[in-house]
Amino acid sequence: MNKTVRKAVIAGNWKMNKTPAEAKALLEEIKPLVKDAGCVVVVCVPYVDLAAALEATAGTGIGVGAENCHWEVSGAYTGEVSAQMLASMGVQYVIIGHSERRTYFGDTDVTVQKRARAALDAGLTVILCVGETLEQREQGITAELVAMQAKIALQGVSREELARVIIAYEPVWAIGTGRTATAEQANEVCALIREVVKELYDAGAAQALTIQYGGSMNAKNAAELLAQPDVDGGLIGGASLKAPDFAEIVKAATVG
Ligand code: 13P
């Protein structure tokens, strides 16, 4: 990563794990371990844990995010939570377009664009996930697919708003599988995303954009991944649920 031109961001994605009491306990464990972090640290947690997470992290510099949001401000959308609602609580980040949402909950490039738009309108920072399946990688369409996902999601996002967008490259085949992309594979696609952003905006905007890698990033492989020039951080699933492992990744980002 190139910390002279952009922020390194390590974000935990807790997925559907931890009750509010467990969230508080995990954050109490994480807090002292990351207090000297030289990168931005974020925890994205289930909706029910947001209040506990905001309380536990108050005054620490650790950012709190949700894992999804709806595109309408309010209305008859049973079970949904709007970006405005998240912002009103003090939530700063939201993950949009995670592959698990695309795979299990019918999210499409179009709904991802709508959710991202709503999140930006509410003042949130969006962690926008893109990435190919194994089948798509084997078909040789990774570059086109990831470019298309990014282009659709960024439709209507101004250059100014782009400062509140982080793109997370998460190859679907590397998520929760223990099969990490090699550092070269991760860097290649992160660099390609930066090219797409350069085409859409300009070189300055592309250079300033934080692009994370996600997919089985852990305490052991983080340093190598984060040493790549175009990998500016990580979106961490499993390893973010273990305080020492998460802290180790934050440390790798601080050094790298
Ligand atoms: P794992 O780190 O568990 O592979 O999950 C990655 C991920 O999906 C982060 O959003």
Side-chain angles (χ1 to χ4, degrees), residues 20 23 27 45-58 64 89 91:
L27 285 164
V45 305
Y47 291 133
V48 294
D49 294 341
L50 287 169
L54 286 164
E55 197 184 321
T57 56
V64 173
M89 295 180 76
V91 169

Side-chain angles (χ1 to χ4, degrees), residues 133-228:
T133 62
L134 186 58
E135 195 183 12
Q136 289 162 338
R137 175 162 282 264
E138 284 168 352
Q139 284 170 344
I141 59 169
T142 299
E144 284 154 87
L145 185 99
V146 168
M148 185 184 75
Q149 289 175 333
K151 283 183 185 173
I152 296 174
L154 292 173
Q155 246 169 47
V157 174
S158 71
R159 189 188 191 283
E160 197 181 29
E161 287 170 330
L162 194 68
R164 284 189 288 115
V165 175
I166 293 167
I167 297 185
Y169 167 54
E170 298 208 310
V172 179
W173 48 272
I175 295 176
T177 56
R179 190 176 159 186
T180 322
T182 64
E184 291 71 27
Q185 284 172 328
N187 192 65
E188 186 185 12
V189 183
C190 290
L192 181 149
I193 293 168
R194 206 177 301 286
E195 271 307 306
V196 169
V197 170
K198 185 176 159 192
E199 261 176 52
L200 292 176
Y201 299 88
D202 54 61
Q207 280 307 311
L209 179 74
T210 295
I211 304 177
Q212 300 173 315
Y213 167 78
S216 299
M217 194 189 262
N218 58 39
K220 286 206 180 76
N221 60 28
E224 192 192 353
L225 287 159
L226 294 169
Q228 296 294 314

